Amino acid sequence: MTRSPVAAALTVAVAQVPATVLESAVGHYAAGVAHGLFGAGLPVAGPRFADGMTIRQRRRPVGVDRRSLAGAFPGAAGRLVVFLHGLTETERSWFRGKADFGARLTGDLGASPLYVRYNSGRHISENGRDLVTLVSRLVAAWPVPVTDIVLIGHSMGGLVARSALYQAEERRAPWLSRVTRLVCLGTPHSGAPLERHVARLVSLLGNSAWTAPLTRVLALRSDGIRDLGDGWIHREQWAGAEAGPELRAPPGVRRLFVSATLSHTEGSRWGRLIGDLLVTPVAAAEPTESADVAWLGGLNHFALQHADAVYDTVLGWLRADAKGSAP
């Protein structure tokens, strides 16, 4: 992806920002937004604005080697819960208000939470590929034997997790057999309506003298945003292959797809149209892959990362699944 002049200018600006600012809550927010909008078009080198996928602890990256992991996670458990944020976000999006989901799962299930940061503007399949590599290294270097892996993704993060599972199966990654559960919160499995509307608008505007400036601005959308519009999670889907791959869920991985609406009434017309403001509820025709589907009313898209009702739903499902019974 060629860098736009806007991304190039932003790169120069970021280079002048002190490291302490970049590590602040505001700096993390800016990093997520910049990556989400420009993706690979904003390759600011080095730790100041890391482009690669990393495990984060206390706002800083953790080395994926035994010594670094043992130091960062002194109470390491064999059950790992990997959290993946959504578009224009960082791992800090999970830390709003009360205790984060990971800390609560540590107390309730004895699991070790791992928060991943990635460049959400890159192709979803590229981030899925990187997640396969990251988890491979993580399992090999974890201080204790890994017995169980749970993936929890919010919005685009759910698509990244699904992409990683498909690619792990293609690559026959040994750790795939340890993944028992996938939780998707507000994930647009069939694509995000808002991005599809923007893509149609770009097509309608064309390149006339009157609309060219607006068209150029809208065309700056990153690869990740474009993938999100159609829910593309495999390279062949965005690379123009004549026939896309038949994507089947790896066996042995149970799924929970959680969606929300602002409406408190399930199935209401308002809820179907507006959804959680960004994503509409999971429909019967979507590729649920035999997933358990849960709906929650009165929540917006971002509340899915910290609302008690969401946590209780996920915890109840994980506990029931662990007992081998239906949720």
Side-chain angles (χ1 to χ4, degrees), residues 123-132 151 156-170 175 182 232-235 237 247 250 255:
H123 281 296
I124 290 171
S125 58
E126 292 175 343
N127 281 317
R129 176 196 64 203
D130 287 355
L131 184 58
V132 174
L151 302 177
M156 177 188 281
L159 297 179
V160 171
R162 287 180 55 208
S163 178
L165 291 177
Y166 293 127
Q167 295 187 66
E169 187 170 42
E170 290 175 343
W175 58 263
L182 165 66
W232 286 343
I233 59 177
H234 197 283
R235 185 182 187 282
Q237 292 175 309
L247 301 177
R255 288 157 164 70

PDB file of all heavy atoms in Angstrom, residues 123-132 151 156-170 175 182 232-235 237 247 250 255:
ATOM      1  N   HIS A 123      -4.521  -5.639   6.325  1.00  0.00           N
ATOM      2  CA  HIS A 123      -5.500  -6.657   5.957  1.00  0.00           C
ATOM      3  C   HIS A 123      -5.761  -7.578   7.150  1.00  0.00           C
ATOM      4  O   HIS A 123      -4.828  -7.958   7.877  1.00  0.00           O
ATOM      5  CB  HIS A 123      -4.990  -7.503   4.786  1.00  0.00           C
ATOM      6  CG  HIS A 123      -5.128  -6.832   3.448  1.00  0.00           C
ATOM      7  ND1 HIS A 123      -6.366  -6.513   2.909  1.00  0.00           N
ATOM      8  CD2 HIS A 123      -4.198  -6.436   2.534  1.00  0.00           C
ATOM      9  CE1 HIS A 123      -6.189  -5.948   1.723  1.00  0.00           C
ATOM     10  NE2 HIS A 123      -4.893  -5.874   1.475  1.00  0.00           N
ATOM     11  N   ILE A 124      -7.012  -7.931   7.341  1.00  0.00           N
ATOM     12  CA  ILE A 124      -7.381  -8.827   8.437  1.00  0.00           C
ATOM     13  C   ILE A 124      -6.632 -10.145   8.331  1.00  0.00           C
ATOM     14  O   ILE A 124      -6.169 -10.705   9.334  1.00  0.00           O
ATOM     15  CB  ILE A 124      -8.903  -9.055   8.441  1.00  0.00           C
ATOM     16  CG1 ILE A 124      -9.612  -7.759   8.867  1.00  0.00           C
ATOM     17  CG2 ILE A 124      -9.293 -10.211   9.360  1.00  0.00           C
ATOM     18  CD1 ILE A 124     -11.118  -7.791   8.703  1.00  0.00           C
ATOM     19  N   SER A 125      -6.487 -10.663   7.110  1.00  0.00           N
ATOM     20  CA  SER A 125      -5.774 -11.928   6.925  1.00  0.00           C
ATOM     21  C   SER A 125      -4.301 -11.810   7.301  1.00  0.00           C
ATOM     22  O   SER A 125      -3.693 -12.781   7.779  1.00  0.00           O
ATOM     23  CB  SER A 125      -5.904 -12.401   5.477  1.00  0.00           C
ATOM     24  OG  SER A 125      -5.395 -11.439   4.573  1.00  0.00           O
ATOM     25  N   GLU A 126      -3.700 -10.635   7.096  1.00  0.00           N
ATOM     26  CA  GLU A 126      -2.298 -10.437   7.485  1.00  0.00           C
ATOM     27  C   GLU A 126      -2.161 -10.452   9.001  1.00  0.00           C
ATOM     28  O   GLU A 126      -1.219 -11.040   9.550  1.00  0.00           O
ATOM     29  CB  GLU A 126      -1.780  -9.123   6.906  1.00  0.00           C
ATOM     30  CG  GLU A 126      -1.663  -9.123   5.392  1.00  0.00           C
ATOM     31  CD  GLU A 126      -1.260  -7.790   4.815  1.00  0.00           C
ATOM     32  OE1 GLU A 126      -1.372  -6.762   5.520  1.00  0.00           O
ATOM     33  OE2 GLU A 126      -0.826  -7.767   3.642  1.00  0.00           O
ATOM     34  N   ASN A 127      -3.105  -9.805   9.686  1.00  0.00           N
ATOM     35  CA  ASN A 127      -3.081  -9.856  11.149  1.00  0.00           C
ATOM     36  C   ASN A 127      -3.386 -11.263  11.661  1.00  0.00           C
ATOM     37  O   ASN A 127      -2.835 -11.690  12.675  1.00  0.00           O
ATOM     38  CB  ASN A 127      -4.072  -8.845  11.718  1.00  0.00           C
ATOM     39  CG  ASN A 127      -3.531  -7.426  11.691  1.00  0.00           C
ATOM     40  OD1 ASN A 127      -2.375  -7.185  12.023  1.00  0.00           O
ATOM     41  ND2 ASN A 127      -4.356  -6.474  11.281  1.00  0.00           N
ATOM     42  N   GLY A 128      -4.257 -11.985  10.953  1.00  0.00           N
ATOM     43  CA  GLY A 128      -4.514 -13.374  11.318  1.00  0.00           C
ATOM     44  C   GLY A 128      -3.263 -14.223  11.197  1.00  0.00           C
ATOM     45  O   GLY A 128      -2.963 -15.065  12.061  1.00  0.00           O
ATOM     46  N   ARG A 129      -2.506 -14.004  10.120  1.00  0.00           N
ATOM     47  CA  ARG A 129      -1.246 -14.727   9.918  1.00  0.00           C
ATOM     48  C   ARG A 129      -0.259 -14.417  11.037  1.00  0.00           C
ATOM     49  O   ARG A 129       0.401 -15.310  11.588  1.00  0.00           O
ATOM     50  CB  ARG A 129      -0.652 -14.322   8.570  1.00  0.00           C
ATOM     51  CG  ARG A 129       0.721 -14.937   8.258  1.00  0.00           C
ATOM     52  CD  ARG A 129       1.356 -14.184   7.118  1.00  0.00           C
ATOM     53  NE  ARG A 129       1.613 -12.790   7.496  1.00  0.00           N
ATOM     54  CZ  ARG A 129       1.734 -11.790   6.616  1.00  0.00           C
ATOM     55  NH1 ARG A 129       1.563 -12.012   5.320  1.00  0.00           N
ATOM     56  NH2 ARG A 129       1.982 -10.562   7.047  1.00  0.00           N
ATOM     57  N   ASP A 130      -0.169 -13.128  11.412  1.00  0.00           N
ATOM     58  CA  ASP A 130       0.751 -12.743  12.477  1.00  0.00           C
ATOM     59  C   ASP A 130       0.322 -13.330  13.816  1.00  0.00           C
ATOM     60  O   ASP A 130       1.166 -13.645  14.664  1.00  0.00           O
ATOM     61  CB  ASP A 130       0.839 -11.220  12.583  1.00  0.00           C
ATOM     62  CG  ASP A 130       1.615 -10.608  11.432  1.00  0.00           C
ATOM     63  OD1 ASP A 130       2.172 -11.361  10.605  1.00  0.00           O
ATOM     64  OD2 ASP A 130       1.664  -9.355  11.337  1.00  0.00           O
ATOM     65  N   LEU A 131      -0.981 -13.462  14.015  1.00  0.00           N
ATOM     66  CA  LEU A 131      -1.463 -14.051  15.266  1.00  0.00           C
ATOM     67  C   LEU A 131      -1.072 -15.529  15.352  1.00  0.00           C
ATOM     68  O   LEU A 131      -0.726 -16.024  16.426  1.00  0.00           O
ATOM     69  CB  LEU A 131      -2.982 -13.896  15.378  1.00  0.00           C
ATOM     70  CG  LEU A 131      -3.609 -14.393  16.682  1.00  0.00           C
ATOM     71  CD1 LEU A 131      -3.007 -13.694  17.894  1.00  0.00           C
ATOM     72  CD2 LEU A 131      -5.132 -14.191  16.653  1.00  0.00           C
ATOM     73  N   VAL A 132      -1.100 -16.236  14.236  1.00  0.00           N
ATOM     74  CA  VAL A 132      -0.656 -17.631  14.221  1.00  0.00           C
ATOM     75  C   VAL A 132       0.801 -17.713  14.687  1.00  0.00           C
ATOM     76  O   VAL A 132       1.171 -18.541  15.529  1.00  0.00           O
ATOM     77  CB  VAL A 132      -0.792 -18.242  12.811  1.00  0.00           C
ATOM     78  CG1 VAL A 132      -0.186 -19.652  12.774  1.00  0.00           C
ATOM     79  CG2 VAL A 132      -2.257 -18.302  12.394  1.00  0.00           C
ATOM     80  N   LEU A 151      -9.825 -17.540  22.701  1.00  0.00           N
ATOM     81  CA  LEU A 151      -9.653 -16.290  21.959  1.00  0.00           C
ATOM     82  C   LEU A 151     -10.912 -15.443  22.120  1.00  0.00           C
ATOM     83  O   LEU A 151     -12.028 -15.938  21.897  1.00  0.00           O
ATOM     84  CB  LEU A 151      -9.415 -16.576  20.475  1.00  0.00           C
ATOM     85  CG  LEU A 151      -8.217 -17.459  20.115  1.00  0.00           C
ATOM     86  CD1 LEU A 151      -8.173 -17.701  18.604  1.00  0.00           C
ATOM     87  CD2 LEU A 151      -6.919 -16.837  20.592  1.00  0.00           C
ATOM     88  N   MET A 156     -13.604  -6.126  14.858  1.00  0.00           N
ATOM     89  CA  MET A 156     -12.627  -6.678  13.925  1.00  0.00           C
ATOM     90  C   MET A 156     -11.766  -7.752  14.576  1.00  0.00           C
ATOM     91  O   MET A 156     -11.324  -8.702  13.915  1.00  0.00           O
ATOM     92  CB  MET A 156     -11.723  -5.566  13.384  1.00  0.00           C
ATOM     93  CG  MET A 156     -10.632  -6.062  12.456  1.00  0.00           C
ATOM     94  SD  MET A 156      -9.428  -4.798  11.983  1.00  0.00           S
ATOM     95  CE  MET A 156     -10.344  -3.930  10.715  1.00  0.00           C
ATOM     96  N   GLY A 157     -11.534  -7.634  15.875  1.00  0.00           N
ATOM     97  CA  GLY A 157     -10.728  -8.628  16.572  1.00  0.00           C
ATOM     98  C   GLY A 157     -11.281 -10.027  16.438  1.00  0.00           C
ATOM     99  O   GLY A 157     -10.531 -11.008  16.398  1.00  0.00           O
ATOM    100  N   GLY A 158     -12.613 -10.163  16.375  1.00  0.00           N
ATOM    101  CA  GLY A 158     -13.213 -11.472  16.160  1.00  0.00           C
ATOM    102  C   GLY A 158     -12.876 -12.033  14.791  1.00  0.00           C
ATOM    103  O   GLY A 158     -12.649 -13.233  14.626  1.00  0.00           O
ATOM    104  N   LEU A 159     -12.831 -11.156  13.772  1.00  0.00           N
ATOM    105  CA  LEU A 159     -12.462 -11.591  12.421  1.00  0.00           C
ATOM    106  C   LEU A 159     -10.998 -11.980  12.368  1.00  0.00           C
ATOM    107  O   LEU A 159     -10.629 -12.962  11.687  1.00  0.00           O
ATOM    108  CB  LEU A 159     -12.741 -10.474  11.412  1.00  0.00           C
ATOM    109  CG  LEU A 159     -14.201 -10.056  11.247  1.00  0.00           C
ATOM    110  CD1 LEU A 159     -14.314  -8.923  10.226  1.00  0.00           C
ATOM    111  CD2 LEU A 159     -15.073 -11.240  10.814  1.00  0.00           C
ATOM    112  N   VAL A 160     -10.137 -11.249  13.071  1.00  0.00           N
ATOM    113  CA  VAL A 160      -8.717 -11.599  13.122  1.00  0.00           C
ATOM    114  C   VAL A 160      -8.543 -12.978  13.763  1.00  0.00           C
ATOM    115  O   VAL A 160      -7.762 -13.814  13.290  1.00  0.00           O
ATOM    116  CB  VAL A 160      -7.918 -10.532  13.896  1.00  0.00           C
ATOM    117  CG1 VAL A 160      -6.481 -10.989  14.136  1.00  0.00           C
ATOM    118  CG2 VAL A 160      -7.915  -9.209  13.145  1.00  0.00           C
ATOM    119  N   ALA A 161      -9.296 -13.228  14.831  1.00  0.00           N
ATOM    120  CA  ALA A 161      -9.217 -14.530  15.502  1.00  0.00           C
ATOM    121  C   ALA A 161      -9.691 -15.648  14.580  1.00  0.00           C
ATOM    122  O   ALA A 161      -9.050 -16.712  14.493  1.00  0.00           O
ATOM    123  CB  ALA A 161     -10.047 -14.500  16.781  1.00  0.00           C
ATOM    124  N   ARG A 162     -10.792 -15.429  13.875  1.00  0.00           N
ATOM    125  CA  ARG A 162     -11.285 -16.442  12.945  1.00  0.00           C
ATOM    126  C   ARG A 162     -10.284 -16.694  11.825  1.00  0.00           C
ATOM    127  O   ARG A 162     -10.039 -17.839  11.440  1.00  0.00           O
ATOM    128  CB  ARG A 162     -12.634 -16.016  12.365  1.00  0.00           C
ATOM    129  CG  ARG A 162     -13.803 -16.112  13.347  1.00  0.00           C
ATOM    130  CD  ARG A 162     -15.107 -15.672  12.688  1.00  0.00           C
ATOM    131  NE  ARG A 162     -15.369 -16.427  11.477  1.00  0.00           N
ATOM    132  CZ  ARG A 162     -16.061 -15.970  10.437  1.00  0.00           C
ATOM    133  NH1 ARG A 162     -16.541 -14.734  10.458  1.00  0.00           N
ATOM    134  NH2 ARG A 162     -16.269 -16.723   9.380  1.00  0.00           N
ATOM    135  N   SER A 163      -9.698 -15.621  11.306  1.00  0.00           N
ATOM    136  CA  SER A 163      -8.690 -15.758  10.260  1.00  0.00           C
ATOM    137  C   SER A 163      -7.507 -16.586  10.755  1.00  0.00           C
ATOM    138  O   SER A 163      -6.989 -17.456  10.035  1.00  0.00           O
ATOM    139  CB  SER A 163      -8.216 -14.378   9.812  1.00  0.00           C
ATOM    140  OG  SER A 163      -7.209 -14.474   8.826  1.00  0.00           O
ATOM    141  N   ALA A 164      -7.074 -16.321  11.984  1.00  0.00           N
ATOM    142  CA  ALA A 164      -5.944 -17.059  12.545  1.00  0.00           C
ATOM    143  C   ALA A 164      -6.256 -18.541  12.683  1.00  0.00           C
ATOM    144  O   ALA A 164      -5.397 -19.396  12.427  1.00  0.00           O
ATOM    145  CB  ALA A 164      -5.566 -16.467  13.906  1.00  0.00           C
ATOM    146  N   LEU A 165      -7.480 -18.870  13.076  1.00  0.00           N
ATOM    147  CA  LEU A 165      -7.844 -20.278  13.224  1.00  0.00           C
ATOM    148  C   LEU A 165      -7.796 -21.004  11.881  1.00  0.00           C
ATOM    149  O   LEU A 165      -7.304 -22.129  11.789  1.00  0.00           O
ATOM    150  CB  LEU A 165      -9.234 -20.395  13.850  1.00  0.00           C
ATOM    151  CG  LEU A 165      -9.353 -19.957  15.317  1.00  0.00           C
ATOM    152  CD1 LEU A 165     -10.800 -20.055  15.785  1.00  0.00           C
ATOM    153  CD2 LEU A 165      -8.452 -20.809  16.206  1.00  0.00           C
ATOM    154  N   TYR A 166      -8.311 -20.363  10.825  1.00  0.00           N
ATOM    155  CA  TYR A 166      -8.258 -20.983   9.501  1.00  0.00           C
ATOM    156  C   TYR A 166      -6.815 -21.176   9.044  1.00  0.00           C
ATOM    157  O   TYR A 166      -6.440 -22.235   8.535  1.00  0.00           O
ATOM    158  CB  TYR A 166      -9.003 -20.124   8.471  1.00  0.00           C
ATOM    159  CG  TYR A 166     -10.489 -20.047   8.697  1.00  0.00           C
ATOM    160  CD1 TYR A 166     -11.145 -18.827   8.781  1.00  0.00           C
ATOM    161  CD2 TYR A 166     -11.249 -21.203   8.849  1.00  0.00           C
ATOM    162  CE1 TYR A 166     -12.506 -18.747   8.995  1.00  0.00           C
ATOM    163  CE2 TYR A 166     -12.609 -21.138   9.063  1.00  0.00           C
ATOM    164  CZ  TYR A 166     -13.233 -19.906   9.140  1.00  0.00           C
ATOM    165  OH  TYR A 166     -14.584 -19.845   9.359  1.00  0.00           O
ATOM    166  N   GLN A 167      -6.004 -20.146   9.243  1.00  0.00           N
ATOM    167  CA  GLN A 167      -4.622 -20.225   8.785  1.00  0.00           C
ATOM    168  C   GLN A 167      -3.801 -21.184   9.639  1.00  0.00           C
ATOM    169  O   GLN A 167      -2.873 -21.830   9.134  1.00  0.00           O
ATOM    170  CB  GLN A 167      -3.996 -18.826   8.777  1.00  0.00           C
ATOM    171  CG  GLN A 167      -4.662 -17.895   7.770  1.00  0.00           C
ATOM    172  CD  GLN A 167      -3.948 -16.570   7.638  1.00  0.00           C
ATOM    173  OE1 GLN A 167      -2.814 -16.519   7.172  1.00  0.00           O
ATOM    174  NE2 GLN A 167      -4.606 -15.492   8.037  1.00  0.00           N
ATOM    175  N   ALA A 168      -4.130 -21.282  10.920  1.00  0.00           N
ATOM    176  CA  ALA A 168      -3.446 -22.251  11.778  1.00  0.00           C
ATOM    177  C   ALA A 168      -3.721 -23.671  11.304  1.00  0.00           C
ATOM    178  O   ALA A 168      -2.831 -24.538  11.319  1.00  0.00           O
ATOM    179  CB  ALA A 168      -3.893 -22.077  13.228  1.00  0.00           C
ATOM    180  N   GLU A 169      -4.958 -23.897  10.846  1.00  0.00           N
ATOM    181  CA  GLU A 169      -5.287 -25.221  10.325  1.00  0.00           C
ATOM    182  C   GLU A 169      -4.551 -25.482   9.012  1.00  0.00           C
ATOM    183  O   GLU A 169      -4.035 -26.585   8.789  1.00  0.00           O
ATOM    184  CB  GLU A 169      -6.795 -25.354  10.125  1.00  0.00           C
ATOM    185  CG  GLU A 169      -7.234 -26.766   9.741  1.00  0.00           C
ATOM    186  CD  GLU A 169      -8.740 -26.928   9.785  1.00  0.00           C
ATOM    187  OE1 GLU A 169      -9.454 -26.012   9.324  1.00  0.00           O
ATOM    188  OE2 GLU A 169      -9.201 -27.966  10.282  1.00  0.00           O
ATOM    189  N   GLU A 170      -4.476 -24.461   8.151  1.00  0.00           N
ATOM    190  CA  GLU A 170      -3.752 -24.605   6.885  1.00  0.00           C
ATOM    191  C   GLU A 170      -2.275 -24.896   7.127  1.00  0.00           C
ATOM    192  O   GLU A 170      -1.661 -25.689   6.408  1.00  0.00           O
ATOM    193  CB  GLU A 170      -3.891 -23.328   6.049  1.00  0.00           C
ATOM    194  CG  GLU A 170      -5.289 -23.095   5.500  1.00  0.00           C
ATOM    195  CD  GLU A 170      -5.402 -21.761   4.779  1.00  0.00           C
ATOM    196  OE1 GLU A 170      -4.532 -20.885   4.963  1.00  0.00           O
ATOM    197  OE2 GLU A 170      -6.382 -21.584   4.032  1.00  0.00           O
ATOM    198  N   TRP A 175      -0.415 -25.674  18.119  1.00  0.00           N
ATOM    199  CA  TRP A 175      -1.205 -25.103  19.201  1.00  0.00           C
ATOM    200  C   TRP A 175      -2.700 -25.100  18.921  1.00  0.00           C
ATOM    201  O   TRP A 175      -3.500 -24.896  19.839  1.00  0.00           O
ATOM    202  CB  TRP A 175      -0.745 -23.685  19.526  1.00  0.00           C
ATOM    203  CG  TRP A 175      -0.787 -22.707  18.401  1.00  0.00           C
ATOM    204  CD1 TRP A 175       0.255 -22.338  17.600  1.00  0.00           C
ATOM    205  CD2 TRP A 175      -1.923 -21.953  17.933  1.00  0.00           C
ATOM    206  NE1 TRP A 175      -0.154 -21.407  16.669  1.00  0.00           N
ATOM    207  CE2 TRP A 175      -1.474 -21.152  16.854  1.00  0.00           C
ATOM    208  CE3 TRP A 175      -3.259 -21.871  18.324  1.00  0.00           C
ATOM    209  CZ2 TRP A 175      -2.330 -20.286  16.160  1.00  0.00           C
ATOM    210  CZ3 TRP A 175      -4.106 -21.013  17.634  1.00  0.00           C
ATOM    211  CH2 TRP A 175      -3.646 -20.231  16.571  1.00  0.00           C
ATOM    212  N   LEU A 182     -13.831 -19.810  21.108  1.00  0.00           N
ATOM    213  CA  LEU A 182     -13.698 -18.509  20.458  1.00  0.00           C
ATOM    214  C   LEU A 182     -14.927 -17.679  20.827  1.00  0.00           C
ATOM    215  O   LEU A 182     -16.058 -18.135  20.656  1.00  0.00           O
ATOM    216  CB  LEU A 182     -13.618 -18.662  18.935  1.00  0.00           C
ATOM    217  CG  LEU A 182     -13.822 -17.385  18.111  1.00  0.00           C
ATOM    218  CD1 LEU A 182     -12.679 -16.402  18.344  1.00  0.00           C
ATOM    219  CD2 LEU A 182     -13.954 -17.717  16.623  1.00  0.00           C
ATOM    220  N   TRP A 232     -14.005  -9.911   5.095  1.00  0.00           N
ATOM    221  CA  TRP A 232     -12.975 -10.745   4.477  1.00  0.00           C
ATOM    222  C   TRP A 232     -11.909 -11.134   5.490  1.00  0.00           C
ATOM    223  O   TRP A 232     -11.292 -10.282   6.119  1.00  0.00           O
ATOM    224  CB  TRP A 232     -12.326 -10.001   3.316  1.00  0.00           C
ATOM    225  CG  TRP A 232     -13.193  -9.915   2.104  1.00  0.00           C
ATOM    226  CD1 TRP A 232     -14.293 -10.669   1.819  1.00  0.00           C
ATOM    227  CD2 TRP A 232     -13.051  -9.009   1.000  1.00  0.00           C
ATOM    228  NE1 TRP A 232     -14.837 -10.296   0.611  1.00  0.00           N
ATOM    229  CE2 TRP A 232     -14.096  -9.285   0.088  1.00  0.00           C
ATOM    230  CE3 TRP A 232     -12.139  -7.992   0.703  1.00  0.00           C
ATOM    231  CZ2 TRP A 232     -14.255  -8.588  -1.106  1.00  0.00           C
ATOM    232  CZ3 TRP A 232     -12.292  -7.287  -0.480  1.00  0.00           C
ATOM    233  CH2 TRP A 232     -13.327  -7.588  -1.374  1.00  0.00           C
ATOM    234  N   ILE A 233     -11.644 -12.417   5.607  1.00  0.00           N
ATOM    235  CA  ILE A 233     -10.675 -12.902   6.589  1.00  0.00           C
ATOM    236  C   ILE A 233      -9.590 -13.772   5.962  1.00  0.00           C
ATOM    237  O   ILE A 233      -8.706 -14.262   6.656  1.00  0.00           O
ATOM    238  CB  ILE A 233     -11.379 -13.697   7.707  1.00  0.00           C
ATOM    239  CG1 ILE A 233     -12.149 -14.887   7.126  1.00  0.00           C
ATOM    240  CG2 ILE A 233     -12.306 -12.794   8.503  1.00  0.00           C
ATOM    241  CD1 ILE A 233     -12.805 -15.743   8.199  1.00  0.00           C
ATOM    242  N   HIS A 234      -9.653 -13.956   4.638  1.00  0.00           N
ATOM    243  CA  HIS A 234      -8.657 -14.778   3.949  1.00  0.00           C
ATOM    244  C   HIS A 234      -8.086 -13.982   2.779  1.00  0.00           C
ATOM    245  O   HIS A 234      -8.807 -13.221   2.123  1.00  0.00           O
ATOM    246  CB  HIS A 234      -9.287 -16.079   3.445  1.00  0.00           C
ATOM    247  CG  HIS A 234      -8.279 -17.137   3.087  1.00  0.00           C
ATOM    248  ND1 HIS A 234      -7.555 -17.101   1.913  1.00  0.00           N
ATOM    249  CD2 HIS A 234      -7.871 -18.257   3.752  1.00  0.00           C
ATOM    250  CE1 HIS A 234      -6.754 -18.160   1.861  1.00  0.00           C
ATOM    251  NE2 HIS A 234      -6.919 -18.863   2.967  1.00  0.00           N
ATOM    252  N   ARG A 235      -6.805 -14.166   2.519  1.00  0.00           N
ATOM    253  CA  ARG A 235      -6.137 -13.388   1.475  1.00  0.00           C
ATOM    254  C   ARG A 235      -6.826 -13.529   0.119  1.00  0.00           C
ATOM    255  O   ARG A 235      -6.941 -12.561  -0.642  1.00  0.00           O
ATOM    256  CB  ARG A 235      -4.674 -13.822   1.350  1.00  0.00           C
ATOM    257  CG  ARG A 235      -3.878 -12.968   0.363  1.00  0.00           C
ATOM    258  CD  ARG A 235      -2.445 -13.451   0.212  1.00  0.00           C
ATOM    259  NE  ARG A 235      -1.684 -12.516  -0.602  1.00  0.00           N
ATOM    260  CZ  ARG A 235      -1.747 -12.449  -1.923  1.00  0.00           C
ATOM    261  NH1 ARG A 235      -2.543 -13.284  -2.593  1.00  0.00           N
ATOM    262  NH2 ARG A 235      -1.018 -11.565  -2.588  1.00  0.00           N
ATOM    263  N   GLN A 237      -9.793 -13.699  -0.631  1.00  0.00           N
ATOM    264  CA  GLN A 237     -11.022 -12.922  -0.739  1.00  0.00           C
ATOM    265  C   GLN A 237     -10.753 -11.503  -1.216  1.00  0.00           C
ATOM    266  O   GLN A 237     -11.548 -10.944  -1.970  1.00  0.00           O
ATOM    267  CB  GLN A 237     -11.745 -12.910   0.619  1.00  0.00           C
ATOM    268  CG  GLN A 237     -12.294 -14.270   1.033  1.00  0.00           C
ATOM    269  CD  GLN A 237     -12.887 -14.241   2.421  1.00  0.00           C
ATOM    270  OE1 GLN A 237     -12.260 -13.783   3.385  1.00  0.00           O
ATOM    271  NE2 GLN A 237     -14.118 -14.717   2.550  1.00  0.00           N
ATOM    272  N   LEU A 247     -14.357 -21.711   3.746  1.00  0.00           N
ATOM    273  CA  LEU A 247     -13.875 -21.551   5.100  1.00  0.00           C
ATOM    274  C   LEU A 247     -14.739 -22.343   6.075  1.00  0.00           C
ATOM    275  O   LEU A 247     -15.910 -22.040   6.267  1.00  0.00           O
ATOM    276  CB  LEU A 247     -13.870 -20.064   5.477  1.00  0.00           C
ATOM    277  CG  LEU A 247     -13.005 -19.163   4.579  1.00  0.00           C
ATOM    278  CD1 LEU A 247     -13.138 -17.713   4.999  1.00  0.00           C
ATOM    279  CD2 LEU A 247     -11.559 -19.602   4.612  1.00  0.00           C
ATOM    280  N   PRO A 250     -12.327 -24.934  12.286  1.00  0.00           N
ATOM    281  CA  PRO A 250     -11.555 -26.091  12.728  1.00  0.00           C
ATOM    282  C   PRO A 250     -12.347 -26.896  13.754  1.00  0.00           C
ATOM    283  O   PRO A 250     -13.032 -26.326  14.606  1.00  0.00           O
ATOM    284  CB  PRO A 250     -10.306 -25.467  13.359  1.00  0.00           C
ATOM    285  CG  PRO A 250     -10.200 -24.121  12.721  1.00  0.00           C
ATOM    286  CD  PRO A 250     -11.616 -23.675  12.510  1.00  0.00           C
ATOM    287  N   ARG A 255     -17.832 -21.939  19.698  1.00  0.00           N
ATOM    288  CA  ARG A 255     -17.926 -20.519  19.402  1.00  0.00           C
ATOM    289  C   ARG A 255     -19.124 -19.883  20.097  1.00  0.00           C
ATOM    290  O   ARG A 255     -20.180 -20.492  20.187  1.00  0.00           O
ATOM    291  CB  ARG A 255     -18.071 -20.322  17.882  1.00  0.00           C
ATOM    292  CG  ARG A 255     -16.791 -20.601  17.130  1.00  0.00           C
ATOM    293  CD  ARG A 255     -17.100 -20.945  15.677  1.00  0.00           C
ATOM    294  NE  ARG A 255     -15.921 -20.856  14.849  1.00  0.00           N
ATOM    295  CZ  ARG A 255     -14.892 -21.694  14.912  1.00  0.00           C
ATOM    296  NH1 ARG A 255     -14.921 -22.712  15.754  1.00  0.00           N
ATOM    297  NH2 ARG A 255     -13.839 -21.535  14.135  1.00  0.00           N
TER     298      ARG A 255
END
